[in-house]
Amino acid sequence: MPIYQLSSEDPIWGSLRLDYPGFDDWLQKSKREHRMAWVVWGPDREAVAGLCLMKPETGPEFGMEGKLLKLSSFKVSERHRGFRYGELLMKAAFNSGYDEGFDWIYVTAFPKQAELISMFENFGFDEWPERKTNGELVLRKPLKASKEDW
């Protein structure tokens, strides 16, 4: 769904605001660009239980070449954890990545987000050796086999 349909006041944005200076400006810009997200609604449908914003990019970036799918925000709310919503969002990301011919899929995360990092590693993402200037790790996964894989 387009993220402009999501309320900027939804509680899911709270921790993202704390971690990223200028988050609200970025969110408004993303809404104006009609960026898309996969969304899992909570049982009451009053709040977002989980979401993943996607951003198509082109490499080279972090050792990746070709068509890249960045998961620019990947979040499950505190009160909705344990229901496998992260796995549902991951499935949507992989399906879209394969269907749309992306070469790589990647996400960035702060080291303190150990649970999130562990989930991505369990899905086969590896860590790029260099961090972003803000200290985030880059976790990436190829979606197409290389000649070395044969």
Side-chain angles (χ1 to χ4, degrees):
M1 78 181 296
I3 64 169
Y4 65 75
Q5 293 180 349
L6 298 176
S7 169
S8 297
E9 303 306 315
D10 194 286
I12 195 121
W13 305 118
S15 66
L16 295 168
R17 282 189 174 97
L18 295 175
D19 285 340
Y20 298 97
F23 175 80
D24 286 305
D25 292 336
W26 173 85
L27 181 60
Q28 291 308 312
K29 178 180 177 267
S30 296
K31 286 183 173 195
R32 283 191 306 273
E33 292 173 352
H34 293 227
R35 299 255 313 269
M36 300 297 287
W38 299 289
V39 176
V40 178
W41 291 98
D44 56 9
R45 256 192 95 73
E46 291 180 20
V48 175
L51 60 78
C52 177
L53 278 67
M54 58 191 135
K55 182 181 179 192
E57 297 180 347
T58 303
E61 188 77 46
F62 308 113
M64 300 176 287
E65 296 280 339
K67 193 173 172 185
L68 315 178
L69 178 59
K70 180 180 184 185
L71 308 181
S72 59
S73 295
F74 193 101
K75 175 88 175 145
V76 175
S77 74
E78 292 288 330
R79 73 180 202 147
H80 293 101
R81 295 209 174 140
F83 296 103
R84 300 198 175 278
Y85 292 153
E87 286 87 346
L88 286 172
L89 293 168
M90 188 69 73
K91 181 179 179 182
F94 282 136
N95 284 342
S96 181
Y98 291 125
D99 291 347
E100 296 180 34
F102 284 94
D103 298 296
W104 290 85
I105 188 169
Y106 81 102
V107 66
T108 61
F110 288 108
K112 70 179 183 179
Q113 298 166 314
E115 188 178 343
L116 178 68
I117 292 166
S118 178
M119 183 188 79
F120 278 98
E121 289 173 341
N122 287 338
F123 277 91
F125 285 72
D126 66 5
E127 185 180 321
W128 176 247
E130 300 170 24
R131 291 190 182 184
K132 292 184 61 181
T133 56
N134 66 357
E136 284 182 301
L137 305 171
V138 177
L139 303 162
R140 62 202 193 127
K141 179 178 176 70
L143 293 178
K144 294 182 179 177
S146 68
K147 289 181 183 179
E148 292 82 29
D149 295 331
W150 297 353

mmCIF file of all heavy atoms in Angstrom, residues 38-72:
data_model
loop_
_atom_site.group_PDB
_atom_site.id
_atom_site.type_symbol
_atom_site.label_atom_id
_atom_site.label_comp_id
_atom_site.label_asym_id
_atom_site.label_seq_id
_atom_site.Cartn_x
_atom_site.Cartn_y
_atom_site.Cartn_z
ATOM 1 N N TRP A 38 4.715 -2.836 2.568
ATOM 2 C CA TRP A 38 3.884 -3.959 2.954
ATOM 3 C C TRP A 38 3.490 -3.697 4.399
ATOM 4 O O TRP A 38 4.326 -3.293 5.215
ATOM 5 C CB TRP A 38 4.655 -5.273 2.854
ATOM 6 C CG TRP A 38 5.121 -5.571 1.470
ATOM 7 C CD1 TRP A 38 4.347 -5.934 0.398
ATOM 8 C CD2 TRP A 38 6.458 -5.541 0.985
ATOM 9 N NE1 TRP A 38 5.129 -6.122 -0.711
ATOM 10 C CE2 TRP A 38 6.442 -5.889 -0.375
ATOM 11 C CE3 TRP A 38 7.692 -5.248 1.577
ATOM 12 C CZ2 TRP A 38 7.571 -5.958 -1.159
ATOM 13 C CZ3 TRP A 38 8.840 -5.304 0.800
ATOM 14 C CH2 TRP A 38 8.764 -5.667 -0.552
ATOM 15 N N VAL A 39 2.221 -3.902 4.713
ATOM 16 C CA VAL A 39 1.717 -3.578 6.040
ATOM 17 C C VAL A 39 0.951 -4.756 6.607
ATOM 18 O O VAL A 39 0.167 -5.391 5.904
ATOM 19 C CB VAL A 39 0.783 -2.337 5.981
ATOM 20 C CG1 VAL A 39 0.169 -2.042 7.336
ATOM 21 C CG2 VAL A 39 1.544 -1.127 5.459
ATOM 22 N N VAL A 40 1.195 -5.034 7.891
ATOM 23 C CA VAL A 40 0.400 -6.007 8.647
ATOM 24 C C VAL A 40 -0.333 -5.205 9.712
ATOM 25 O O VAL A 40 0.297 -4.507 10.516
ATOM 26 C CB VAL A 40 1.300 -7.077 9.317
ATOM 27 C CG1 VAL A 40 0.448 -8.045 10.126
ATOM 28 C CG2 VAL A 40 2.130 -7.823 8.288
ATOM 29 N N TRP A 41 -1.659 -5.274 9.691
ATOM 30 C CA TRP A 41 -2.456 -4.541 10.658
ATOM 31 C C TRP A 41 -2.651 -5.370 11.917
ATOM 32 O O TRP A 41 -2.744 -6.592 11.854
ATOM 33 C CB TRP A 41 -3.827 -4.191 10.074
ATOM 34 C CG TRP A 41 -3.724 -3.177 8.977
ATOM 35 C CD1 TRP A 41 -3.703 -3.412 7.640
ATOM 36 C CD2 TRP A 41 -3.597 -1.767 9.138
ATOM 37 N NE1 TRP A 41 -3.568 -2.243 6.953
ATOM 38 C CE2 TRP A 41 -3.511 -1.208 7.849
ATOM 39 C CE3 TRP A 41 -3.560 -0.916 10.242
ATOM 40 C CZ2 TRP A 41 -3.383 0.160 7.635
ATOM 41 C CZ3 TRP A 41 -3.436 0.448 10.028
ATOM 42 C CH2 TRP A 41 -3.347 0.970 8.737
ATOM 43 N N GLY A 42 -2.739 -4.679 13.040
ATOM 44 C CA GLY A 42 -3.053 -5.342 14.298
ATOM 45 C C GLY A 42 -4.491 -5.826 14.277
ATOM 46 O O GLY A 42 -5.281 -5.430 13.406
ATOM 47 N N PRO A 43 -4.868 -6.689 15.221
ATOM 48 C CA PRO A 43 -6.210 -7.256 15.229
ATOM 49 C C PRO A 43 -7.322 -6.207 15.274
ATOM 50 O O PRO A 43 -8.392 -6.410 14.723
ATOM 51 C CB PRO A 43 -6.246 -8.114 16.494
ATOM 52 C CG PRO A 43 -4.836 -8.262 16.932
ATOM 53 C CD PRO A 43 -4.042 -7.178 16.308
ATOM 54 N N ASP A 44 -7.056 -5.066 15.904
ATOM 55 C CA ASP A 44 -8.075 -4.021 15.990
ATOM 56 C C ASP A 44 -8.110 -3.108 14.766
ATOM 57 O O ASP A 44 -8.992 -2.287 14.625
ATOM 58 C CB ASP A 44 -7.853 -3.180 17.243
ATOM 59 C CG ASP A 44 -6.448 -2.588 17.292
ATOM 60 O OD1 ASP A 44 -5.699 -2.685 16.292
ATOM 61 O OD2 ASP A 44 -6.098 -2.031 18.346
ATOM 62 N N ARG A 45 -7.138 -3.258 13.888
ATOM 63 C CA ARG A 45 -6.970 -2.432 12.674
ATOM 64 C C ARG A 45 -6.858 -0.953 12.973
ATOM 65 O O ARG A 45 -7.003 -0.111 12.097
ATOM 66 C CB ARG A 45 -8.080 -2.682 11.661
ATOM 67 C CG ARG A 45 -7.571 -3.537 10.524
ATOM 68 C CD ARG A 45 -8.451 -3.622 9.328
ATOM 69 N NE ARG A 45 -8.217 -2.716 8.229
ATOM 70 C CZ ARG A 45 -7.219 -2.781 7.372
ATOM 71 N NH1 ARG A 45 -6.285 -3.672 7.511
ATOM 72 N NH2 ARG A 45 -7.136 -1.937 6.378
ATOM 73 N N GLU A 46 -6.591 -0.618 14.231
ATOM 74 C CA GLU A 46 -6.398 0.779 14.588
ATOM 75 C C GLU A 46 -4.934 1.179 14.505
ATOM 76 O O GLU A 46 -4.622 2.358 14.412
ATOM 77 C CB GLU A 46 -6.920 1.042 16.004
ATOM 78 C CG GLU A 46 -8.428 0.942 16.092
ATOM 79 C CD GLU A 46 -8.930 1.203 17.503
ATOM 80 O OE1 GLU A 46 -8.198 1.810 18.305
ATOM 81 O OE2 GLU A 46 -10.054 0.796 17.781
ATOM 82 N N ALA A 47 -4.045 0.206 14.577
ATOM 83 C CA ALA A 47 -2.615 0.500 14.547
ATOM 84 C C ALA A 47 -1.908 -0.526 13.668
ATOM 85 O O ALA A 47 -2.374 -1.649 13.501
ATOM 86 C CB ALA A 47 -2.038 0.459 15.958
ATOM 87 N N VAL A 48 -0.777 -0.108 13.129
ATOM 88 C CA VAL A 48 0.042 -0.989 12.305
ATOM 89 C C VAL A 48 0.821 -1.933 13.222
ATOM 90 O O VAL A 48 1.466 -1.492 14.169
ATOM 91 C CB VAL A 48 1.012 -0.165 11.430
ATOM 92 C CG1 VAL A 48 1.957 -1.064 10.666
ATOM 93 C CG2 VAL A 48 0.230 0.740 10.480
ATOM 94 N N ALA A 49 0.738 -3.226 12.937
ATOM 95 C CA ALA A 49 1.485 -4.226 13.713
ATOM 96 C C ALA A 49 2.893 -4.390 13.166
ATOM 97 O O ALA A 49 3.837 -4.626 13.907
ATOM 98 C CB ALA A 49 0.752 -5.565 13.699
ATOM 99 N N GLY A 50 3.046 -4.263 11.857
ATOM 100 C CA GLY A 50 4.350 -4.393 11.225
ATOM 101 C C GLY A 50 4.331 -3.756 9.853
ATOM 102 O O GLY A 50 3.279 -3.666 9.224
ATOM 103 N N LEU A 51 5.507 -3.315 9.417
ATOM 104 C CA LEU A 51 5.586 -2.723 8.078
ATOM 105 C C LEU A 51 6.989 -2.852 7.525
ATOM 106 O O LEU A 51 7.959 -3.012 8.255
ATOM 107 C CB LEU A 51 5.149 -1.263 8.062
ATOM 108 C CG LEU A 51 5.873 -0.229 8.896
ATOM 109 C CD1 LEU A 51 7.177 0.209 8.280
ATOM 110 C CD2 LEU A 51 4.984 0.980 9.065
ATOM 111 N N CYS A 52 7.053 -2.797 6.221
ATOM 112 C CA CYS A 52 8.323 -2.816 5.508
ATOM 113 C C CYS A 52 8.196 -1.876 4.317
ATOM 114 O O CYS A 52 7.373 -2.106 3.436
ATOM 115 C CB CYS A 52 8.663 -4.228 5.035
ATOM 116 S SG CYS A 52 10.186 -4.307 4.081
ATOM 117 N N LEU A 53 8.965 -0.802 4.345
ATOM 118 C CA LEU A 53 9.005 0.127 3.223
ATOM 119 C C LEU A 53 10.096 -0.318 2.269
ATOM 120 O O LEU A 53 11.176 -0.718 2.696
ATOM 121 C CB LEU A 53 9.327 1.543 3.699
ATOM 122 C CG LEU A 53 8.182 2.364 4.254
ATOM 123 C CD1 LEU A 53 7.662 1.794 5.540
ATOM 124 C CD2 LEU A 53 8.621 3.797 4.436
ATOM 125 N N MET A 54 9.804 -0.266 0.996
ATOM 126 C CA MET A 54 10.771 -0.713 0.003
ATOM 127 C C MET A 54 11.241 0.451 -0.855
ATOM 128 O O MET A 54 10.506 1.413 -1.064
ATOM 129 C CB MET A 54 10.174 -1.800 -0.856
ATOM 130 C CG MET A 54 8.916 -1.403 -1.565
ATOM 131 S SD MET A 54 8.125 -2.818 -2.301
ATOM 132 C CE MET A 54 6.453 -2.497 -1.820
ATOM 133 N N LYS A 55 12.477 0.319 -1.321
ATOM 134 C CA LYS A 55 13.044 1.352 -2.177
ATOM 135 C C LYS A 55 13.925 0.694 -3.236
ATOM 136 O O LYS A 55 14.990 0.173 -2.916
ATOM 137 C CB LYS A 55 13.871 2.328 -1.350
ATOM 138 C CG LYS A 55 14.460 3.457 -2.176
ATOM 139 C CD LYS A 55 15.291 4.384 -1.318
ATOM 140 C CE LYS A 55 15.875 5.484 -2.188
ATOM 141 N NZ LYS A 55 16.899 6.227 -1.470
ATOM 142 N N PRO A 56 13.485 0.698 -4.490
ATOM 143 C CA PRO A 56 14.334 0.172 -5.562
ATOM 144 C C PRO A 56 15.536 1.090 -5.777
ATOM 145 O O PRO A 56 15.423 2.309 -5.744
ATOM 146 C CB PRO A 56 13.429 0.183 -6.794
ATOM 147 C CG PRO A 56 12.046 0.383 -6.280
ATOM 148 C CD PRO A 56 12.172 1.086 -4.969
ATOM 149 N N GLU A 57 16.707 0.498 -5.957
ATOM 150 C CA GLU A 57 17.943 1.239 -6.188
ATOM 151 C C GLU A 57 18.755 0.520 -7.255
ATOM 152 O O GLU A 57 18.429 -0.598 -7.646
ATOM 153 C CB GLU A 57 18.773 1.339 -4.907
ATOM 154 C CG GLU A 57 18.104 2.090 -3.782
ATOM 155 C CD GLU A 57 18.950 2.163 -2.521
ATOM 156 O OE1 GLU A 57 19.962 1.441 -2.408
ATOM 157 O OE2 GLU A 57 18.595 2.954 -1.645
ATOM 158 N N THR A 58 19.830 1.168 -7.684
ATOM 159 C CA THR A 58 20.750 0.559 -8.636
ATOM 160 C C THR A 58 22.150 0.608 -8.041
ATOM 161 O O THR A 58 22.556 1.648 -7.516
ATOM 162 C CB THR A 58 20.724 1.318 -9.978
ATOM 163 O OG1 THR A 58 19.381 1.335 -10.461
ATOM 164 C CG2 THR A 58 21.617 0.648 -10.995
ATOM 165 N N GLY A 59 22.857 -0.542 -8.110
ATOM 166 C CA GLY A 59 24.221 -0.610 -7.602
ATOM 167 C C GLY A 59 25.188 -0.009 -8.597
ATOM 168 O O GLY A 59 24.797 0.351 -9.696
ATOM 169 N N PRO A 60 26.448 0.118 -8.263
ATOM 170 C CA PRO A 60 27.093 -0.578 -7.152
ATOM 171 C C PRO A 60 26.880 0.147 -5.822
ATOM 172 O O PRO A 60 26.909 1.364 -5.748
ATOM 173 C CB PRO A 60 28.568 -0.584 -7.528
ATOM 174 C CG PRO A 60 28.738 0.619 -8.398
ATOM 175 C CD PRO A 60 27.421 0.830 -9.095
ATOM 176 N N GLU A 61 26.673 -0.649 -4.814
ATOM 177 C CA GLU A 61 26.482 -0.162 -3.448
ATOM 178 C C GLU A 61 26.816 -1.290 -2.498
ATOM 179 O O GLU A 61 26.317 -2.413 -2.664
ATOM 180 C CB GLU A 61 25.024 0.284 -3.263
ATOM 181 C CG GLU A 61 24.730 0.981 -1.969
ATOM 182 C CD GLU A 61 25.216 2.421 -1.939
ATOM 183 O OE1 GLU A 61 24.976 3.149 -2.917
ATOM 184 O OE2 GLU A 61 25.846 2.794 -0.943
ATOM 185 N N PHE A 62 27.677 -1.069 -1.539
ATOM 186 C CA PHE A 62 28.035 -2.055 -0.517
ATOM 187 C C PHE A 62 28.409 -3.415 -1.130
ATOM 188 O O PHE A 62 27.995 -4.461 -0.657
ATOM 189 C CB PHE A 62 26.897 -2.233 0.491
ATOM 190 C CG PHE A 62 26.415 -0.949 1.088
ATOM 191 C CD1 PHE A 62 25.146 -0.467 0.810
ATOM 192 C CD2 PHE A 62 27.236 -0.208 1.928
ATOM 193 C CE1 PHE A 62 24.704 0.725 1.361
ATOM 194 C CE2 PHE A 62 26.798 0.986 2.480
ATOM 195 C CZ PHE A 62 25.528 1.460 2.199
ATOM 196 N N GLY A 63 29.180 -3.384 -2.224
ATOM 197 C CA GLY A 63 29.627 -4.609 -2.863
ATOM 198 C C GLY A 63 28.564 -5.317 -3.689
ATOM 199 O O GLY A 63 28.754 -6.456 -4.092
ATOM 200 N N MET A 64 27.451 -4.650 -3.937
ATOM 201 C CA MET A 64 26.357 -5.245 -4.719
ATOM 202 C C MET A 64 26.271 -4.539 -6.066
ATOM 203 O O MET A 64 26.404 -3.325 -6.135
ATOM 204 C CB MET A 64 25.020 -5.096 -3.976
ATOM 205 C CG MET A 64 24.980 -5.770 -2.622
ATOM 206 S SD MET A 64 23.431 -5.469 -1.723
ATOM 207 C CE MET A 64 23.622 -3.754 -1.222
ATOM 208 N N GLU A 65 26.024 -5.294 -7.101
ATOM 209 C CA GLU A 65 25.865 -4.764 -8.454
ATOM 210 C C GLU A 65 24.454 -5.043 -8.942
ATOM 211 O O GLU A 65 23.832 -6.010 -8.520
ATOM 212 C CB GLU A 65 26.855 -5.440 -9.413
ATOM 213 C CG GLU A 65 28.305 -5.195 -9.115
ATOM 214 C CD GLU A 65 28.801 -3.846 -9.615
ATOM 215 O OE1 GLU A 65 28.166 -3.268 -10.523
ATOM 216 O OE2 GLU A 65 29.812 -3.377 -9.093
ATOM 217 N N GLY A 66 23.977 -4.210 -9.853
ATOM 218 C CA GLY A 66 22.702 -4.481 -10.504
ATOM 219 C C GLY A 66 21.528 -3.804 -9.834
ATOM 220 O O GLY A 66 21.634 -2.723 -9.260
ATOM 221 N N LYS A 67 20.400 -4.482 -9.893
ATOM 222 C CA LYS A 67 19.137 -3.962 -9.386
ATOM 223 C C LYS A 67 18.996 -4.350 -7.910
ATOM 224 O O LYS A 67 18.981 -5.537 -7.576
ATOM 225 C CB LYS A 67 18.003 -4.554 -10.232
ATOM 226 C CG LYS A 67 16.670 -3.918 -10.053
ATOM 227 C CD LYS A 67 15.673 -4.490 -11.066
ATOM 228 C CE LYS A 67 14.275 -3.998 -10.764
ATOM 229 N NZ LYS A 67 13.282 -4.611 -11.639
ATOM 230 N N LEU A 68 18.893 -3.334 -7.020
ATOM 231 C CA LEU A 68 18.864 -3.559 -5.583
ATOM 232 C C LEU A 68 17.497 -3.221 -5.003
ATOM 233 O O LEU A 68 16.878 -2.239 -5.406
ATOM 234 C CB LEU A 68 19.904 -2.691 -4.872
ATOM 235 C CG LEU A 68 21.298 -2.602 -5.467
ATOM 236 C CD1 LEU A 68 22.164 -1.664 -4.649
ATOM 237 C CD2 LEU A 68 21.924 -3.972 -5.571
ATOM 238 N N LEU A 69 17.054 -4.017 -4.045
ATOM 239 C CA LEU A 69 15.829 -3.728 -3.313
ATOM 240 C C LEU A 69 16.219 -3.440 -1.872
ATOM 241 O O LEU A 69 16.640 -4.338 -1.138
ATOM 242 C CB LEU A 69 14.844 -4.905 -3.367
ATOM 243 C CG LEU A 69 13.542 -4.706 -2.590
ATOM 244 C CD1 LEU A 69 12.773 -3.481 -3.096
ATOM 245 C CD2 LEU A 69 12.670 -5.948 -2.681
ATOM 246 N N LYS A 70 16.111 -2.179 -1.484
ATOM 247 C CA LYS A 70 16.420 -1.790 -0.111
ATOM 248 C C LYS A 70 15.139 -1.851 0.718
ATOM 249 O O LYS A 70 14.110 -1.304 0.323
ATOM 250 C CB LYS A 70 16.998 -0.385 -0.035
ATOM 251 C CG LYS A 70 17.313 0.027 1.387
ATOM 252 C CD LYS A 70 17.889 1.416 1.469
ATOM 253 C CE LYS A 70 18.261 1.728 2.912
ATOM 254 N NZ LYS A 70 18.708 3.105 3.074
ATOM 255 N N LEU A 71 15.218 -2.524 1.848
ATOM 256 C CA LEU A 71 14.121 -2.520 2.807
ATOM 257 C C LEU A 71 14.432 -1.349 3.737
ATOM 258 O O LEU A 71 15.180 -1.478 4.696
ATOM 259 C CB LEU A 71 14.056 -3.853 3.549
ATOM 260 C CG LEU A 71 14.019 -5.100 2.654
ATOM 261 C CD1 LEU A 71 13.940 -6.360 3.493
ATOM 262 C CD2 LEU A 71 12.873 -5.018 1.658
ATOM 263 N N SER A 72 13.877 -0.180 3.412
ATOM 264 C CA SER A 72 14.319 1.041 4.078
ATOM 265 C C SER A 72 13.767 1.204 5.488
ATOM 266 O O SER A 72 14.334 1.952 6.275
ATOM 267 C CB SER A 72 13.996 2.270 3.231
ATOM 268 O OG SER A 72 12.627 2.373 2.989
#
